[in-house]
Amino acid sequence: MSPPNGSSNARKIKQCTEVTMQDLVSTHHEMAHIQYYLQYAEQPQLFRDGANPAFHEAVANAVTLSVYNIQHLQRVGLYNNRTHDPYQVSMNFLMTMALEKVAYLPFAFMVDQWRWSVFEDGVQNMNSRWWQMKLRFQGVIPPMQRTEADFDPGSKYHVISDQEYIKYFLGTVLEFQLYEQLCQAAGQAGHLHECDCWVQLFEQLCQAAGQAGHLHECDVYRSRDAGRLLSEIMQPGASKTASEIIRTMTRGRTNRISPESLVRYFRPLELWLRVQNRDEPLIGWSSNYQDIGLFAPQRGHGTTVTYSMVLLVLSMMQFVLFL
């Protein structure tokens, strides 16, 4: 990001892209980061950051949640196939999002659990502890036997660069909470995963800017009223605590990060999965002596680990101290 031609107001993204959905989402994600930077640019240097480390990712990802959905893609002319069963399309979309968001949560949680265990207990058995947590939280075992001569956690950049990772776990939960508030502000009703809040928010911005006429002709450039509507969460930067920002975001209903919005977002998929899996003998994963022997030889019986999506998120949240 740099100001061209000596201008302090203009910004641009330097990014190599192709015409793909992933790059479309990535571009919106990066633009949201830039908007966050610009919103708190007038804060003192110390406060030019998110309210906590999770906020930047949460804001950027909340934007992409709206970009992803079918209603938005239809409105902008990128998805025109209306012959498919809407329910099947909805379930396929939610499954795709769950594989990206929900399946990521256990990993985002365990990376710092492992880092903190090293800080607290020392460097002994670092690799076996890594795989013990991988099995416990993700149901993943190594493809071949591992020893302490290996250092598999080092394959994660954030580990070798000593960067905290819990912010990505909290950010994923917070993005759905923020997204729901944006949808409510836009007057959306119905399923949360079908909300296209940016069209309605843009219309409200035009109204706040005193614009009339067709929506596609609206120009909110330099409108202070329109800017205030979007900057309420971003503009304070780190000058307010995360609790204060969340209380503002939820209009006083709570000052805590909550997974309830995430659960509501995926509720239709959860109901569908309950029907599909009602005859399955096991939902979760199992381990046995041979599995555990790949990374931590020990005596004992096999164990079975079962988690539901909702209980997994809620149980993880209790480990996180939110300030």
Side-chain angles (χ1 to χ4, degrees):
M1 181 184 74
S2 61
N5 303 323
S7 170
S8 61
N9 294 323
R11 295 294 186 272
K12 62 182 179 180
I13 299 175
K14 188 176 183 179
Q15 181 183 10
C16 296
T17 62
E18 297 178 356
V19 183
T20 65
M21 183 64 189
Q22 186 57 47
D23 280 346
L24 175 68
V25 171
S26 176
T27 300
H28 281 81
H29 180 99
E30 299 308 323
M31 288 173 63
H33 277 304
I34 290 175
Q35 185 58 226
Y36 209 155
Y37 300 146
L38 295 176
Q39 288 292 319
Y40 59 58
E42 299 303 318
Q43 292 285 349
Q45 181 68 40
L46 185 63
F47 298 140
R48 293 178 193 172
D49 206 345
N52 72 14
F55 260 81
H56 248 291
E57 289 301 312
V59 168
N61 285 337
V63 172
T64 64
L65 282 177
S66 186
V67 176
Y68 262 123
N69 80 56
I70 301 300
Q71 284 70 23
H72 176 76
L73 295 177
Q74 288 175 339
R75 284 190 177 99
V76 298
L78 294 179
Y79 180 80
N80 298 313
N81 191 336
R82 300 177 184 270
T83 61
H84 294 151
D85 184 330
Y87 181 74
Q88 291 183 356
V89 171
S90 183
M91 289 303 103
N92 285 334
F93 167 72
L94 280 175
M95 180 64 79
T96 300
M97 294 301 294
L99 291 173
E100 178 178 338
K101 301 292 184 178
V102 180
Y104 171 67
L105 283 172
F107 177 75
F109 179 74
M110 65 140 287
V111 171
D112 267 4
Q113 289 291 310
W114 177 85
R115 290 177 68 246
W116 296 336
S117 76
V118 172
F119 297 152
E120 183 175 356
D121 301 325
V123 299
Q124 296 79 16
N125 302 317
M126 284 197 301
N127 210 51
S128 62
R129 267 185 280 166
W130 173 263
W131 285 108
Q132 286 168 1
M133 290 184 180
K134 293 280 282 185
L135 175 59
R136 177 185 176 190
F137 293 113
Q138 292 186 273
V140 174
I141 60 174
M144 59 185 294
Q145 188 166 359
R146 313 302 290 164
T147 70
E148 291 306 309
D150 305 303
F151 184 57
D152 296 313
S155 63
K156 185 62 181 172
Y157 171 77
H158 295 74
V159 170
I160 60 174
S161 61
D162 192 27
Q163 295 185 30
E164 62 184 359
Y165 207 77
I166 199 66
K167 65 182 179 182
Y168 296 105
F169 172 75
L170 287 173
T172 302
V173 176
L174 181 59
E175 73 178 80
F176 287 91
Q177 191 174 5
L178 171 58
Y179 181 64
E180 184 171 34
Q181 298 305 313
L182 292 174
C183 291
Q184 290 177 2
Q188 287 280 329
H191 293 303
L192 187 57
H193 70 275
E194 295 176 345
C195 166
D196 182 13
C197 62
W198 296 106
V199 172
Q200 284 77 16
L201 279 175
F202 186 59
E203 186 171 10
Q204 290 186 26
L205 289 173
C206 293
Q207 293 171 357
Q211 295 281 334
H214 296 296
L215 184 59
H216 67 273
E217 296 175 345
C218 168
D219 180 11
V220 298
Y221 184 58
R222 289 184 176 177
S223 166
R224 292 183 180 273
D225 290 336
R228 289 192 190 99
L229 193 60
L230 276 181
S231 67
E232 191 173 0
I233 295 171
M234 296 186 287
Q235 189 272 333
S239 66
K240 293 183 179 180
T241 65
S243 297
E244 291 176 296
I245 297 296
I246 293 175
R247 185 173 293 281
T248 299
M249 180 181 78
T250 61
R251 294 165 178 79
R253 288 191 292 272
T254 183
N255 65 346
R256 294 181 176 275
I257 293 179
S258 169
E260 293 177 359
S261 297
L262 184 151
V263 173
R264 277 193 288 272
Y265 185 95
F266 289 106
R267 178 64 173 168
L269 178 64
E270 182 189 3
L271 295 176
W272 183 83
L273 287 173
R274 287 184 182 277
V275 174
Q276 302 302 313
N277 295 330
R278 59 190 170 192
D279 297 325
E280 293 291 330
L282 171 68
I283 304 299
W285 49 87
S286 62
S287 64
N288 55 40
Y289 176 79
Q290 287 77 18
D291 290 340
I292 297 174
L294 287 170
F295 58 88
Q298 55 184 281
R299 303 181 67 85
H301 300 289
T303 60
T304 298
V305 183
T306 60
Y307 290 114
S308 72
M309 177 180 71
V310 177
L311 291 179
L312 178 61
V313 174
L314 293 177
S315 64
M316 286 179 176
M317 287 297 292
Q318 70 180 342
F319 288 101
V320 180
L321 178 61
F322 172 64
L323 300 177

